Amino acid sequence: RAEGVASEAVRDAYRAYARRFGGGGAVFGGALLLFAAAQASLVATDCWLARWSSLPAPQQEDVALNLGVLAALAALAALLVGVQAAAWPLLCLRASANMHAEAVRAVLRAPMAYHTATPSGRLVARFSKDVDALDASLPSMLAQAFTCAAALLASLATIVASAPLVAPAVAVAALALIRIVASYRPTAGEAKRLVSVLHGPIVSLLLEGLGGREYLRAYCQQHAAADEAVALLEASARAQTFNIALQRWLALRLEALGAAILLCVSLLCVGARGRVPLGLSGLSLTYSMTLTNLAKYLVNYATRADAQFASFDRVQALTAVKSEASAADGDGAAGGGGKAAPPREWPTRGEVVVDA
């Protein structure tokens, strides 16, 4: 697949999903701000603790003030994190419920030609597996990805605020991270799809072999079946190996970026010894050591969320099914032709004409 086309399709899916929250995407934007506020409150608590440890001894002994502010920040962080954790699943469920209602309405009003051409098993899969992905899997993956993204941005902001001279190194590392992720995500999605595609024939062959083992023995085809199974297993193993190698490729580059930022922060903290409070230096070093893991989790959950958006695309396709004319006024939801509804006494008579 063309990388640009795939990336644009993912962005379109994200925009369409955001509009499902209501307000033309404003509700989705508010939810993102809630993620950012929760992480900012956690960082503010750490910053106040670092400031407290850097105060002179007489000011540190003012426990009532320092501990009171710390408790207030901790309470605010707990409140924001709790509101974010409670609001996000409810918003996602509302978006999924609205989308499910639209899909059901469109399918029930679809022409008979659509139901004739569409297997019933496909519709059952859309309204069971795909809707379940929208209800459970996609919200959890997005929540983890947004949390990691907010924590990563908060960590970078804290590092820059604690050691402003490290800002150029952080900017270069951020640009490198963006380029690495842009190269990794499309390839990782295709690699996961390849693993899934190559795993299916193995299960099918195993079931067919167990069901027809008498015929395999009767026609002496055991070796042919075994050779085919080995070939399928080798293809699946190659896909799994490629997927693991791709993950190690990402981890190596993220570790290198994290080590580079940690080295820069360490050198600046040592060089600014005596001029920068020790608490802020320790805070910047602590956050520098968490950047690599946050970036790993962010890329991992974002890639898994991209894979879950396939279910969103399939359910959204059902909402675009052209419907027949409305029984009330003849206006179809997607262009029913605008014909007038038949009268109540229709049909008034019956007639069968057979052409010779």
Side-chain angles (χ1 to χ4, degrees):
R1 296 182 185 179
E3 181 177 330
V5 175
S7 301
E8 184 62 28
V10 172
R11 286 192 291 269
D12 291 341
Y14 272 93
R15 285 192 288 265
Y17 185 69
R19 288 192 294 269
R20 293 288 177 180
F21 279 67
V27 178
F28 186 80
L32 295 183
L33 290 178
L34 198 56
F35 278 98
Q39 291 300 318
S41 63
L42 294 174
V43 172
T45 304
D46 294 338
C47 290
W48 180 262
L49 187 60
R51 178 187 178 277
W52 187 5
S53 64
S54 301
L55 291 175
Q59 297 182 15
Q60 287 187 9
E61 295 177 356
D62 191 358
V63 179
L65 174 62
N66 294 319
L67 189 59
V69 174
L70 182 63
L73 291 175
L76 178 62
L79 177 63
L80 290 176
V81 171
V83 171
Q84 172 260 308
W88 176 253
L90 295 178
L91 292 175
C92 292
L93 284 176
R94 188 180 71 171
S96 177
N98 293 336
M99 195 170 185
H100 176 265
E102 292 183 20
V104 170
R105 189 180 305 110
V107 170
L108 291 180
R109 294 182 58 187
M112 290 304 299
Y114 172 80
H115 293 281
T116 303
T118 305
S120 58
R122 183 183 302 174
L123 293 177
V124 171
R126 298 294 179 267
F127 286 106
S128 58
K129 181 180 178 181
D130 291 332
V131 172
D132 178 69
L134 295 180
D135 291 341
S137 301
L138 183 58
S140 62
M141 292 297 105
L142 287 177
Q144 295 290 346
F146 292 151
T147 301
C148 291
L152 182 61
L153 292 176
S155 299
L156 292 175
T158 304
I159 293 171
V160 173
S162 303
L165 294 179
V166 83
V170 171
V172 172
L175 292 176
L177 177 62
I178 292 174
R179 290 181 61 88
I180 290 173
V181 172
S183 301
Y184 172 80
R185 285 178 64 181
T187 309
E190 292 300 320
K192 291 182 182 295
R193 185 187 63 84
L194 186 62
V195 170
S196 178
V197 168
L198 292 178
H199 180 71
I202 298 176
V203 179
S204 299
L205 180 64
L206 179 60
L207 295 177
E208 291 174 0
L210 292 175
R213 56 187 180 276
E214 299 88 355
Y215 303 100
L216 291 176
R217 294 174 180 174
Y219 291 96
C220 301
Q221 295 297 315
Q222 301 96 318
H223 296 292
D227 293 339
E228 185 178 359
V230 169
L232 292 176
L233 285 173
E234 288 180 351
S236 179
R238 285 195 294 269
Q240 291 279 7
T241 303
F242 173 72
N243 193 21
I244 295 173
L246 190 62
Q247 294 177 5
R248 297 311 307 160
W249 177 89
L250 174 67
L252 179 62
R253 281 151 180 79
L254 293 181
E255 291 284 355
L257 288 177
I261 294 178
L262 181 59
L263 177 62
C264 294
V265 173
S266 302
L267 293 176
L268 288 174
C269 289
V270 172
R273 183 177 52 186
R275 297 189 302 272
V276 178
L278 294 179
L280 292 180
S281 298
L283 184 64
S284 60
L285 286 173
T286 301
Y287 278 115
S288 298
M289 290 186 290
T290 64
L291 292 179
T292 301
N293 289 331
L294 287 175
K296 285 182 185 177
Y297 290 136
L298 172 60
V299 175
N300 183 26
Y301 285 120
T303 304
R304 293 167 65 178
D306 291 346
Q308 294 294 331
F309 264 100
S311 298
F312 172 79
D313 291 334
R314 288 191 288 264
V315 177
Q316 188 181 26
L318 294 180
T319 63
V321 174
K322 291 185 177 181
S323 61
E324 292 181 327
S326 172
D329 54 9
D331 295 331
K339 296 181 180 179
R344 288 182 176 272
E345 61 273 11
W346 182 88
T348 57
R349 65 187 182 88
E351 181 182 0
V352 177
V353 178
V354 179
D355 295 333

